[in-house]
Amino acid sequence: MSSVAVLTQESFAEHRSGLAQQQVKVTALNSEEENDPPTYKEAFPPLPEKAPCLEAAQEPAGPWSKIRPIKASVITQVFHVPLEERKYKDMNQFGEGEQAKICLDIMQKTGAHLELSLAKDQGLSIMVSGKLEAVMKARKEIVARLQTQASATVAIPKEHHRFVIGKNGEKLQDLELKTATKIQIPRPDDPSNQIKITGTKEGIEKARHEILLISAEQDKRAVERLDVEKVYHPFIAGPYNKLVSELMQDTGTRINIPPPSVNKTEIVFTGEKEQLAQAVARVKKIYEEKKKKTTTIAVEVKKSQHKYVIGPKGNSLQEILEKTGVSVEIPPTDSSSETVILRGEPEKLGQALTEVYAKANSFTVSSVSAPSWLHRFIIGKKGQNLAKITQQMPKVHIEFTEGEDKITLEGPTEDVNVAQEQIEVMVKDLINRMDYAEINVDHKFHRHLIGKNGANINRIKDLYKVSVRIPPDNEKSNLIRIEGDPQGVQQAKKELLELASRMENERTKDLIIEQKFHRTIIGQKGERIREIREKFPEVIINFPDPAHKSDIVQLRGPKNEVEKCTKYMQKMVADLVENSFSISVPIFKQFHKNIIGKGGANIKKIREESNTKIDLPAENSNSETIVITGKRANCEAARHRILAIQKELANITEVEVSIPSKLHNSLIGAKGRFIRSIMEECGGVHIHFPTEGSGSDTVTIRGPAQDVEKAKKQLLHLAEEKQTKSYTVDLRAKPEYHKFLIGKGGGNIRKVRDNTGARIIFPTSEDKDQELITIMGTEEAVKEAQKELEALIKNLDNVVEDSMVVDPKHHRHFVIRRGQVLREIADEYGGVMVSFPRSGTQSDKVTLKGAKDCVEAAKKRIQEIIEDLEAQVTIECNIPQKFHRSIMGPKGSRIQQITRDYAVQIKFPDREENPAPAAEPLVQENGEEGGEGKDGKDADPSSPKKCDIIIISGRREKCEAAKEALQALVPVTIEVEVPFDLHRYIIGQKGTGIRKMMDEFEVNIQVPAPELQSDIITITGLSTNLDLVVCSLLLYLTLLLLLQALRSFKLTVTVDPKYHPKIIGRKGAVITQIRTEHEVNIQFPDKDDESQAQDQITITGYEKNAGAARDAIMKIVGELEQMVSEDVTLDHRVHARIIGARGKAIRKIMDEFKVDIRFPQSGAPDPNCVTVTGLPENVEEAIDHILNLEEEYLADVVDNEAMQVYMKPSSHEESKAPSKGFVVRDAPWATVNNEKAPDMSSSEDFPSFGAQVAPKTLPWGPKR
């Protein structure tokens, strides 16, 4: 992988400076140096001579030697992960899956580029390219995420841990990056000295070695603490810490003196033992010496002057210490003491005292009177004005206090006086030319004065060059302050008051719009409301917060504009209401996928053609209702199309029943419970009642013919009952009893209905009250049904406890999968509790607790399950492993269906990752055969492989049936012979044809590669599907050949070649439209082929379509023949203006008048002649229009030419002298001996780099 060298501006400057020892000057031809051009050697410095030896080569002569080598900023490293350390070893998914995702993530995180490859030993090679830092980070990530991690610990003394961490953890981070490991160091409060390292074996070893090296290095070092009085620390440190730095450098010892702010007397020494002893001895010597020689004096200095004695960052104290050798001790800032102590040698104290007083009095504090509103003008934009003063006098500190009419200055006396004068001048100038005004405007109008994103207020500020200060909303203040130029202040004040007055006269109107339309009116990302606001810029439109559930939209602005906006929005809402008509269509769930179509094709087509929104229920939802939204007529059309699809797919009939509208509500029942129970009972038919208040008696029933008839009878019977005598009773029962009351397959409840003739309605999962059971019918029937149900419920409430014996070997079947079997029994039999003995006990007693009937039924069910288990057998089904995935089907759907249909358990074997190679013959040892007496097991080549055997468990007859079903799912392969020329039609555009066939018949079709030129197509799939595929394929090809014959009809049209460009159109637009519209191929004659008739156009396609295309072409020719061409004289100076930028203006004229306009080309005999072609009346109108434009533009041209006389000529027109080019002196070709041009083939004149070049016959070498 190539590296990329990056040349920065700095390195470029260095290179450039190295090219010549003196700067190259570019001189103008009219300068004084024109007569003295540079020499050839100056302009073209010679390359360094070839070094005769290695030593000479190291120091090349000449200016080229200064050039530094350009280093590559991109590096490439290769890391290898052995197979045993790979985290992801799935060979089938190399380049995909989790490993690929991790690599992409690492590339995004680090910015490095990764390339993976597998070595022969199945190890992983990773090539990482990028900047050094990115490569190191990527390496760490690779090791952590793609390599298996090991961990180890290393013990080093606790006091060495900080050296492993380093300053700000830099050393630890560097160590982790270098070794690609994770190093965990115990916290300071943790007594452990163990450092944990996590990473690869190699990385752990490297990290362990590095840590032990650091510790070994520290073992050589010693630490000593010396107690020195705090007052003598400055003498040991020396001025600006020079003394202690020298001491550290001389002895190689680290000396840590506590800072003045820390009240510690201990000085800490760290280093090699011998050198440390030297450093301690020298510090003790300084300390003893200063203790003997120094004395102190105390002086009083004003507290406010202490900071001047200290100086910035203590510089003044260090300065005094350096000059006099005296230490100045200042009391802390929180102390009220003004006493300053000077400590040093007696003879130096006087000089130090003078310095202290000089420093204390070198600074002064002054103030300038300036109104507080002027402060920000004095400071200037981003502190520009103040920066001018502070740059001149950096030691002066200027302080502005908010609300005070003064500015405080602090610093050296001279500088303060100069700064004070400058600020006073600035204040005086600002007072003379600046003014301010304050106006009162109700704070509720402030945000409208500001405008959207500050548009209004920024305009006023820019226009009048003023500053406007509007108080924030939370202050609720009405005062607005305007500052700036007196005239600008008055104008801004006037405009703001006018705006405020206009706002007070504005009208606010509340528009009632249903909240469901608010989002639609606002539009996606506010696009639609932005259009409305642009249309009515003076109107402010406020929508309520969605959380408030309000329908009120507020409009505010000038009365007329608000009225216009109201009408516009009301019309928009009316359109939305019209388009929001909704209709629900019940469609049987099994037909939803057909209505959607493949890839949503059907539903998309219906949506586009009917211009409606169609919402289908979720796949996992029980709802069958499809909701259509849009205009009423469009919704009806879409509904009709959806119902037509359903009708085509199934034997669906629709009948209408007349039932008086007054009975509709009672038949529907509370929340539709009653009608739902009828629909469920009659096989899920759809019963549609007319909308309430329509007055219609027609009820529509739709579904399979038999179920529709059943539902019709029930509805009419119930309607008759309702009209004569209807009686309703509500019963309550625990929800867990409902299943038992209904019975298996509705047997119990059907028995009650048949006995009594009453209708019993149970709650659905959507009902709030899950205990309510409703009984409807005649009074007598209802009471009888009530009596029977109450008896059943009472029986269920009578809880009994019973037991049964179950062999412990069957217990596991009932309790596995978190007791799923027991949960199913409890659900089915009124919540009966079944308790099995705990695992480990040998008891076979199972306890059942619940209603007597439920317990009996549950016992019976358990007994049935036991019988099934005892009759259970396990058989093997041998199917090669390669077919297992296709047998399972998508998400195991096929296998799940077989287990449900045959009540069996099917277990597939584990996949064999690396199939063993063919068994080698056993070698004979001591004259005995390998197999005998060794294992006693001979591998039988005919015996099935373990990975091919599928285990089926269940009743024998069910297992056998399931085995047959599995074997039927094994795909078979057949070969079909199809002429090679037709393969492309089977594949289809971008493979759509073959994919459609494979999806439809669930097969795999393999078409041979084009280079093989084979006619054999291989089809793999279920044997039941293969015949269908072959038939479909042959039928498709027959139709294709027939269509090809029909589509190859040819028609020739004779058209004058001059009309050909017009028929083709601009960029082929016209001819493309004809081709697309009539589905034909149109071929024009080749201009370069003289053998072809130039007036013949060939049309190929269906006969009917070819005729229609011919008519379309002849129609264009007819129009072209009617056209006329006229020449018009237009001044060539206005041509460019008429044509416009990129021909935009002329295209607009041609489109408007339906004509073609041609301008003369450059070099034409008459540059003013323009040709206009089109129908006579259009040509005349176009010419009139062009002549009007010429008259208008010509006036501008004349004016410009008149102005041009007075304009200064351009620079390139001033110097007409021809350029002499680049001139050099003393060139090789200008010498006396060699007056002619240099010989390019001469190796003397043009020496080669390295190898010798053969002389060339041509001066510039051979042509490329």
Side-chain angles (χ1 to χ4, degrees):
M1 184 175 284
S2 62
S3 297
V4 179
V6 179
L7 189 64
T8 62
Q9 285 187 336
E10 292 79 4
S11 61
F12 175 70
E14 288 175 18
H15 279 271
R16 191 175 173 203
S17 65
L19 287 174
Q21 298 205 354
Q22 54 187 357
Q23 193 177 6
V24 179
K25 295 179 182 177
V26 179
T27 55
L29 288 172
N30 56 358
S31 68
E32 290 177 6
E33 296 177 10
E34 184 186 359
N35 298 324
D36 191 18
T39 66
Y40 179 79
K41 283 195 176 180
E42 284 173 342
F44 305 104
L47 289 167
E49 293 294 325
K50 190 173 180 182
C53 64
L54 185 66
E55 288 78 7
Q58 286 172 351
E59 294 178 7
W64 297 96
S65 62
K66 290 188 181 180
I67 297 175
R68 292 184 184 178
I70 299 171
K71 289 182 181 177
S73 68
V74 175
I75 66 158
T76 301
Q77 285 192 15
V78 177
F79 308 119
H80 189 73
V81 182
L83 175 64
E84 61 274 10
E85 290 184 19
R86 279 181 60 192
K87 198 178 272 188
Y88 302 97
K89 298 181 184 174
D90 189 354
M91 303 303 157
N92 297 329
Q93 291 193 338
F94 183 72
E96 48 184 81
E98 198 63 32
Q99 190 168 264
K101 284 179 190 171
I102 288 168
C103 289
L104 282 171
D105 187 44
I106 292 170
M107 285 199 279
Q108 285 170 356
K109 268 189 186 176
T110 62
H113 179 73
L114 270 65
E115 284 184 25
L116 274 72
S117 61
L118 270 180
K120 284 183 181 178
D121 62 355
Q122 296 301 319
L124 194 66
S125 291
I126 303 158
M127 185 161 72
V128 188
S129 306
K131 294 196 174 175
L132 179 62
E133 190 184 353
V135 169
M136 296 311 285
K137 282 183 183 174
R139 182 190 171 197
K140 188 181 172 186
E141 288 278 337
I142 287 162
V143 167
R145 296 171 70 179
L146 293 182
Q147 212 163 346
T148 52
Q149 302 289 292
S151 66
T153 56
V154 58
I156 63 168
K158 187 82 178 170
E159 57 269 22
H160 295 174
H161 286 193
R162 63 195 183 91
F163 298 105
V164 176
I165 295 166
K167 191 179 180 182
N168 298 327
E170 285 173 6
K171 185 123 187 202
L172 182 64
Q173 286 172 12
D174 188 43
L175 191 57
E176 284 184 332
L177 269 179
K178 272 205 286 191
T179 61
T181 56
K182 173 72 181 165
I183 301 169
Q184 290 172 288
I185 294 172
R187 295 173 66 81
D189 52 4
D190 187 344
S192 171
N193 64 354
Q194 297 281 346
I195 294 174
K196 188 179 179 184
I197 312 165
T198 309
T200 61
K201 288 177 188 173
E202 187 190 348
I204 288 170
E205 284 305 313
K206 278 185 188 174
R208 193 169 178 279
H209 176 71
E210 290 289 334
I211 290 166
L212 288 171
L213 272 180
I214 292 165
S215 180
E217 200 178 306
Q218 295 308 315
D219 278 336
K220 295 175 189 173
R221 299 170 76 82
V223 177
E224 192 169 327
R225 290 174 170 77
L226 182 67
D227 201 40
V228 176
E229 285 177 61
K230 188 83 178 169
V231 293
Y232 294 106
H233 286 189
F235 298 112
I236 292 163
Y240 302 105
N241 289 327
K242 283 180 186 174
L243 192 58
V244 77
S245 298
E246 282 174 23
L247 195 55
M248 286 197 288
Q249 200 169 354
D250 292 348
T251 62
T253 305
R254 188 175 168 193
I255 303 169
N256 185 15
I257 299 172
S261 57
V262 178
N263 193 20
K264 279 188 181 178
T265 57
E266 228 177 38
I267 297 174
V268 182
F269 300 80
T270 313
E272 301 285 341
K273 289 177 184 175
E274 289 177 16
Q275 294 168 332
L276 185 137
Q278 288 175 22
V280 171
R282 283 172 68 175
V283 168
K284 276 183 180 175
K285 188 182 175 185
I286 295 165
Y287 171 47
E288 296 298 335
E289 197 179 305
K290 291 295 176 186
K291 203 172 182 181
K292 285 176 188 176
K293 289 184 178 180
T294 58
T295 183
T296 61
I297 60 166
V299 293
E300 296 295 314
V301 177
K302 282 183 187 176
K303 190 77 180 171
S304 60
Q305 293 178 320
H306 284 193
K307 59 183 176 182
Y308 308 132
V309 176
I310 297 166
K313 295 180 181 176
N315 279 351
S316 298
L317 293 178
Q318 297 295 330
E319 198 181 315
I320 294 166
L321 182 62
E322 189 175 35
K323 279 185 183 177
T324 65
V326 174
S327 167
V328 181
E329 295 163 24
I330 307 286
T333 50
D334 53 359
S335 166
S336 58
S337 171
E338 294 187 340
T339 305
V340 174
I341 296 167
L342 283 76
R343 188 181 303 274
E345 294 173 15
E347 63 271 17
K348 304 272 182 77
L349 288 173
Q351 187 190 345
L353 187 61
T354 308
E355 287 285 338
V356 167
Y357 279 123
K359 297 284 180 195
N361 297 320
S362 65
F363 278 69
T364 185
V365 178
S366 180
S367 65
V368 177
S369 180
S372 59
W373 67 273
L374 281 178
H375 287 187
R376 58 201 192 84
F377 296 105
I378 294 165
I379 294 165
K381 193 174 183 182
K382 294 182 181 176
Q384 283 175 351
N385 296 347
L386 210 58
K388 291 173 188 173
I389 298 169
T390 53
Q391 279 167 8
Q392 287 173 14
M393 290 150 284
K395 291 184 180 177
V396 176
H397 174 69
I398 304 167
E399 191 177 332
F400 295 83
T401 311
E402 196 175 342
E404 286 188 17
D405 291 344
K406 67 170 184 176
I407 301 165
T408 310
L409 290 89
E410 190 178 321
T413 312
E414 290 178 14
D415 289 358
V416 165
N417 292 337
V418 174
Q420 187 174 346
E421 281 177 25
Q422 288 186 13
I423 290 171
E424 280 173 350
V425 168
M426 204 185 289
V427 170
K428 194 175 179 182
D429 174 55
L430 285 168
I431 289 169
N432 289 338
R433 63 185 180 82
M434 298 285 279
D435 194 7
Y436 76 92
E438 290 179 344
I439 58 172
N440 272 300
V441 176
D442 195 326
H443 71 270
K444 69 183 178 185
F445 297 132
H446 287 186
R447 64 193 184 96
H448 306 300
L449 288 177
I450 294 166
K452 192 173 182 183
N453 298 327
N456 292 349
I457 208 72
N458 287 339
R459 183 185 57 80
I460 291 168
K461 282 178 182 177
D462 294 342
L463 186 64
Y464 303 118
K465 303 288 184 282
V466 293
S467 169
V468 183
R469 303 186 72 188
I470 296 173
D473 287 347
N474 55 0
E475 286 184 17
K476 304 287 183 190
S477 169
N478 296 341
L479 196 69
I480 295 174
R481 187 181 176 96
I482 310 160
E483 298 166 356
D485 176 67
Q487 190 180 351
V489 166
Q490 292 307 316
Q491 288 174 324
K493 179 182 175 181
K494 185 183 174 186
E495 184 164 341
L496 283 170
L497 287 171
E498 280 176 9
L499 276 170
S501 169
R502 203 184 311 154
M503 281 171 195
E504 283 169 359
N505 297 326
E506 277 181 349
R507 182 178 171 198
T508 302
K509 186 168 184 177
D510 289 344
L511 199 59
I512 307 296
I513 298 172
E514 278 185 75
Q515 197 183 33
K516 66 181 180 182
F517 296 128
H518 290 187
R519 188 175 285 180
T520 315
I521 292 168
I522 293 166
Q524 195 175 9
K525 295 181 182 176
E527 285 175 5
R528 292 184 74 174
I529 198 67
R530 206 178 294 122
E531 284 175 23
I532 298 169
R533 282 178 175 146
E534 283 169 7
K535 201 175 180 74
F536 304 99
E538 293 180 69
V539 179
I540 293 159
I541 305 163
N542 288 324
F543 284 85
D545 190 324
H548 294 160
K549 305 285 182 190
S550 171
D551 293 341
I552 296 168
V553 177
Q554 195 180 68
L555 309 180
R556 194 161 57 75
K559 189 178 176 182
N560 292 343
E561 289 297 303
V562 166
E563 285 302 324
K564 285 179 189 173
C565 187
T566 303
K567 285 178 184 173
Y568 182 82
M569 287 184 77
Q570 281 172 339
K571 186 178 181 298
M572 184 187 275
V573 172
D575 289 345
L576 286 173
V577 170
E578 188 186 353
N579 286 321
S580 66
F581 175 78
S582 185
I583 189 169
S584 296
V585 188
I587 297 292
F588 292 101
K589 194 81 178 177
Q590 64 263 39
F591 301 131
H592 282 203
K593 62 179 181 182
N594 304 94
I595 285 158
I596 295 166
K598 188 164 183 193
N602 292 355
I603 201 75
K604 191 178 178 184
K605 191 177 180 186
I606 296 169
R607 279 173 181 152
E608 286 172 359
E609 290 180 5
S610 62
N611 194 21
T612 55
K613 181 187 173 190
I614 302 170
D615 295 315
L616 287 98
E619 201 173 333
N620 54 1
S621 159
N622 293 326
S623 172
E624 295 185 334
T625 307
I626 294 173
V627 180
I628 308 168
T629 311
K631 288 187 177 177
R632 191 185 190 105
N634 295 352
C635 287
E636 290 293 345
R639 176 176 175 269
H640 180 72
R641 288 185 65 171
I642 289 169
L643 289 172
I645 292 170
Q646 181 181 244
K647 201 168 184 180
E648 274 177 34
L649 293 164
N651 180 24
I652 302 296
T653 59
E654 189 177 295
V655 296
E656 290 180 350
V657 184
S658 183
I659 295 171
S661 56
K662 64 183 180 180
L663 298 176
H664 289 186
N665 282 346
S666 60
L667 286 173
I668 292 165
K671 294 182 181 176
R673 286 177 67 208
F674 192 34
I675 202 68
R676 256 202 319 270
S677 73
I678 296 171
M679 290 197 291
E680 284 168 13
E681 197 179 324
C682 299
V685 295
H686 295 135
I687 302 172
H688 178 70
F689 284 82
T691 50
E692 201 174 348
S694 64
S696 172
D697 294 344
T698 306
V699 177
T700 310
I701 309 167
R702 190 171 63 258
Q706 199 176 348
D707 292 337
V708 166
E709 197 55 43
K710 189 177 174 184
K712 179 182 175 183
K713 280 180 185 174
Q714 282 208 27
L715 268 180
L716 292 170
H717 177 67
L718 285 166
E720 195 180 328
E721 272 188 7
K722 290 274 179 193
Q723 278 179 311
T724 52
K725 45 190 174 179
S726 179
Y727 190 68
T728 306
V729 163
D730 288 342
L731 267 182
R732 305 192 80 80
K734 290 178 186 175
E736 57 263 31
Y737 292 166
H738 291 191
K739 276 192 179 178
F740 192 75
L741 291 171
I742 293 164
K744 199 168 184 181
N748 294 352
I749 208 69
R750 200 179 299 113
K751 193 176 174 184
V752 176
R753 281 175 184 165
D754 294 345
N755 290 346
T756 62
R759 173 164 294 280
I760 301 154
I761 302 161
F762 284 86
T764 63
S765 57
E766 293 162 13
D767 291 333
K768 283 184 182 176
D769 192 346
Q770 289 292 306
E771 291 189 356
L772 191 70
I773 302 169
T774 307
I775 309 169
M776 299 177 80
T778 61
E779 189 175 351
E780 189 185 341
V782 167
K783 283 183 177 177
E784 200 177 330
Q786 184 183 1
K787 191 178 173 184
E788 283 195 32
L789 282 176
E790 280 175 347
L792 283 169
I793 292 163
K794 192 177 179 183
N795 227 2
L796 291 169
D797 285 335
N798 179 22
V799 176
V800 295
E801 192 172 311
D802 200 353
S803 64
M804 65 184 294
V805 175
V806 176
D807 193 323
K809 69 180 181 184
H810 299 312
H811 289 193
R812 189 172 176 277
H813 175 78
F814 291 93
V815 295
I816 57 168
R817 297 195 299 277
R818 297 182 183 176
Q820 189 180 336
V821 176
L822 293 179
R823 281 203 304 276
E824 287 171 5
I825 291 169
D827 289 347
E828 196 172 341
Y829 300 104
V832 69
M833 285 173 63
V834 185
S835 301
F836 276 76
R838 285 189 181 181
S839 59
T841 61
Q842 292 302 311
S843 173
D844 58 2
K845 187 181 176 185
V846 175
T847 310
L848 295 92
K849 191 176 181 181
K852 191 177 178 182
D853 292 350
C854 295
V855 167
E856 288 301 323
K859 276 173 75 177
K860 192 178 175 185
R861 176 68 187 127
I862 290 169
Q863 203 59 49
E864 285 173 7
I865 292 168
I866 291 165
E867 283 173 18
D868 280 350
L869 289 171
E870 285 176 346
Q872 197 171 66
V873 294
T874 299
I875 67 166
E876 292 181 353
C877 179
N878 184 10
I879 295 172
Q881 190 188 37
K882 63 181 179 180
F883 299 128
H884 289 188
R885 189 170 285 178
S886 64
I887 288 169
M888 287 177 187
K891 295 180 183 176
S893 56
R894 287 178 181 166
I895 221 69
Q896 285 165 13
Q897 188 64 43
I898 292 171
T899 53
R900 277 198 301 271
D901 291 350
Y902 300 102
V904 292
Q905 296 293 321
I906 300 172
K907 188 177 186 300
F908 278 80
D910 293 333
R911 287 186 70 79
E912 189 178 36
E913 293 296 334
N914 295 312
E920 292 180 8
L922 294 170
V923 179
Q924 290 188 352
E925 289 183 21
N926 302 328
E928 294 177 6
E929 286 192 9
E932 298 290 327
K934 296 283 177 184
D935 294 337
K937 291 180 185 176
D938 287 333
D940 181 5
S942 64
S943 64
K945 288 183 184 177
K946 194 177 177 182
C947 63
D948 295 343
I949 295 168
I950 301 167
I951 308 294
I952 309 168
S953 305
R955 283 183 174 267
R956 180 167 290 281
E957 61 276 11
K958 300 271 187 184
C959 288
E960 292 297 340
K963 184 178 178 180
E964 284 177 21
L966 280 175
Q967 286 169 339
L969 290 174
V970 175
V972 292
T973 303
I974 61 165
E975 291 182 346
V976 183
E977 196 171 334
V978 176
F980 177 75
D981 297 343
L982 301 177
H983 287 193
R984 61 197 179 96
Y985 299 111
I986 294 167
I987 294 165
Q989 194 175 16
K990 293 181 181 177
T992 51
I994 200 162
R995 272 202 303 275
K996 186 181 177 185
M997 204 173 284
M998 289 198 295
D999 291 345
E1000 197 174 329
F1001 296 106
E1002 294 181 357
V1003 292
N1004 181 38
I1005 302 172
Q1006 283 187 322
V1007 179
E1011 59 269 17
L1012 298 175
Q1013 296 282 315
S1014 171
D1015 293 344
I1016 304 298
I1017 290 177
T1018 309
I1019 306 170
T1020 307
L1022 300 180
S1023 54
T1024 50
N1025 293 351
L1026 290 179
D1027 295 338
L1028 281 170
V1029 179
V1030 173
C1031 290
S1032 299
L1033 197 61
L1034 295 173
L1035 184 64
Y1036 172 72
L1037 292 171
T1038 309
L1039 284 170
L1040 192 69
L1041 292 167
L1042 189 65
L1043 287 169
Q1044 264 187 323
L1046 290 170
R1047 210 183 280 145
S1048 57
F1049 177 79
K1050 278 191 179 181
L1051 194 69
T1052 307
V1053 187
T1054 304
V1055 175
D1056 193 321
K1058 69 179 180 182
Y1059 297 134
H1060 288 192
K1062 290 290 178 187
I1063 295 166
I1064 293 165
R1066 194 161 179 262
K1067 292 182 181 178
V1070 178
I1071 202 68
T1072 303
Q1073 191 180 347
I1074 296 169
R1075 281 173 180 151
T1076 310
E1077 198 175 319
H1078 301 290
E1079 295 177 350
V1080 292
N1081 182 29
I1082 302 170
Q1083 200 70 36
F1084 283 83
D1086 187 352
K1087 289 179 183 176
D1088 302 328
D1089 190 353
E1090 292 177 4
S1091 62
Q1092 278 188 350
Q1094 292 297 307
D1095 59 354
Q1096 299 291 314
I1097 298 172
T1098 308
I1099 306 168
T1100 311
Y1102 293 117
E1103 188 176 353
K1104 186 181 174 184
N1105 293 2
R1110 178 195 57 201
D1111 294 344
I1113 290 169
M1114 293 315 292
K1115 187 183 176 186
I1116 294 167
V1117 171
E1119 287 173 2
L1120 290 170
E1121 284 173 345
Q1122 290 177 15
M1123 288 183 181
V1124 295
S1125 288
E1126 277 193 36
D1127 290 343
V1128 59
T1129 302
L1130 279 183
D1131 195 305
H1132 66 274
R1133 291 173 295 175
V1134 299
H1135 286 193
R1137 287 281 298 274
I1138 291 170
I1139 292 165
R1142 295 182 183 176
K1144 197 174 178 183
I1146 198 68
R1147 274 202 301 277
K1148 192 177 176 184
I1149 295 168
M1150 290 196 291
D1151 291 344
E1152 189 181 337
F1153 294 101
K1154 295 189 175 82
V1155 293
D1156 182 54
I1157 302 170
R1158 297 283 169 190
F1159 285 83
Q1161 292 182 341
S1162 57
D1166 185 357
N1168 299 328
C1169 181
V1170 175
T1171 306
V1172 184
T1173 308
L1175 295 172
E1177 59 273 18
N1178 293 353
V1179 168
E1180 283 177 23
E1181 287 177 17
I1183 289 170
D1184 289 346
H1185 181 71
I1186 293 167
L1187 290 171
N1188 289 338
L1189 288 174
E1190 181 200 28
E1191 193 179 330
E1192 186 184 321
Y1193 296 155
L1194 209 53
D1196 292 345
V1197 169
V1198 171
D1199 290 348
N1200 285 342
E1201 286 176 353
M1203 286 295 291
Q1204 211 64 28
V1205 177
Y1206 304 101
M1207 296 289 279
K1208 184 183 174 185
S1210 60
S1211 57
H1212 65 83
E1213 288 174 354
E1214 285 176 9
S1215 62
K1216 294 288 182 181
S1219 170
K1220 291 182 182 178
F1222 183 67
V1223 181
V1224 292
R1225 290 181 290 119
D1226 304 335
W1229 54 84
T1231 56
V1232 179
N1233 301 332
N1234 186 15
E1235 292 180 355
K1236 51 184 185 172
D1239 179 9
M1240 296 295 177
S1241 61
S1242 166
S1243 57
E1244 283 183 27
D1245 291 348
F1246 292 92
S1248 63
F1249 292 97
Q1252 242 179 338
V1253 180
K1256 308 288 181 189
T1257 51
L1258 294 167
W1260 301 109
K1263 288 184 181 178
R1264 286 186 181 176

